[in-house]
Amino acid sequence: MCRSIKTLRPPTTPEVSAEDIRAAALQYVRKVSGFRAPAAHNREVFDQAVDAVAAATQELLDGLQVRGSAARQHSHP
């Protein structure tokens, strides 16, 4: 599964799911680490990195303001 990271901000992608964000985070961590799937001894740090990148991505998307929009486009509880 080699998937490119796609643009997730509106209006390019109006509906962004947690799965979309996690997939992008996984691809980023795979690219940076050079591992498609980490060995058992690296699994924990790999998974923590994916979680951290996904959280940062959600925060970024929640904070972006799109020109011409009166309010923020994404609001996830």
Side-chain angles (χ1 to χ4, degrees):
M1 173 188 140
C2 186
R3 188 170 143 182
S4 296
I5 298 173
K6 64 182 182 176
T7 301
L8 297 180
R9 72 165 174 78
T12 305
T13 308
E15 297 292 325
V16 178
S17 69
E19 184 179 303
D20 293 328
I21 291 171
R22 181 119 184 123
L26 178 59
Q27 289 304 313
Y28 175 81
V29 172
R30 284 177 172 171
K31 185 68 167 182
V32 169
S33 70
F35 296 117
R36 185 187 179 289
H41 63 276
N42 286 326
R43 170 60 63 188
E44 184 176 351
V45 72
F46 188 92
D47 289 343
Q48 288 172 350
V50 173
D51 291 343
V53 171
T57 300
Q58 185 67 67
E59 185 177 330
L60 171 66
L61 292 174
D62 287 346
L64 287 176
Q65 294 184 10
V66 178
R67 281 188 170 175
S69 173
R72 291 186 350 208
Q73 295 288 319
H74 289 274
S75 61
H76 299 278

